[in-house]
Amino acid sequence: MRDSLSRIRDLFHMDVSQLYQSLVDYEEDYRGVLFSPSEKTRIGQRIFGRIRPALYEKVCVEWGYCAKRQQPDLQDQLVLAATVADLVTSACGGIPPFNVAVLLVRLGLSNLCNCDGDRGKKN
């Protein structure tokens, strides 16, 4: 678990654009292709959009994030990201689940799951 938390901590030092860009590095179709940072971010957003429904299903429906979001142990972003990474592994394809989990936490799981009603709904 210590190695996992260390990897997650490193990912939290990246901004959201860098996290999106990191998704591109694991897509077979883009291996060895050079992009401008803005183009790589855009492609990463598209990749994220493609897996987003499966992430929603795992985190929001199956795990029930909205009902659990106030639990004390989930208030630590590192612990939350590690927990989410375990949940989304099968939805990530070849993308490391830690990258996806940190991106989800940074973007806001309440937004993903629409915990506050229609406001911020992205489905």
Side-chain angles (χ1 to χ4, degrees), residues 14 18 20-28 30-33 35 40 47 94-96 99:
M14 298 169 73
Q18 292 170 317
Y20 278 125
Q21 291 172 20
S22 76
L23 304 183
V24 178
D25 297 336
Y26 297 96
E27 286 286 306
E28 188 73 32
Y30 300 114
R31 292 227 170 105
V33 179
F35 299 100
K40 195 169 183 182
I47 292 166
I95 301 167
N99 295 50

Side-chain angles (χ1 to χ4, degrees), residues 106-122:
R106 295 287 298 276
L107 293 174
L109 292 173
S110 293
N111 286 332
L112 173 73
C113 297
N114 193 29
C115 293
D116 299 319
D118 289 336
R119 189 184 61 171
K121 187 170 182 173
K122 296 181 180 178

Side-chain angles (χ1 to χ4, degrees), residues 1-15 18-19 76-83 85 97-99 101-103 105-106:
M1 180 73 156
R2 179 170 290 187
D3 280 346
S4 298
L5 291 179
S6 177
R7 289 174 55 202
I8 291 169
R9 187 176 293 109
D10 290 344
L11 289 167
F12 269 109
H13 290 295
M14 298 169 73
D15 65 31
Q18 292 170 317
L19 289 166
D76 181 315
Q77 286 193 326
L78 294 176
V79 172
L80 179 59
T83 303
F98 290 145
N99 295 50
V102 170
L103 182 56
V105 170
R106 295 287 298 276

Side-chain angles (χ1 to χ4, degrees), residues 33-49:
V33 179
L34 298 176
F35 299 100
S36 68
S38 61
E39 181 69 6
K40 195 169 183 182
T41 299
R42 189 182 66 72
I43 292 168
Q45 290 170 327
R46 189 174 27 186
I47 292 166
F48 181 78

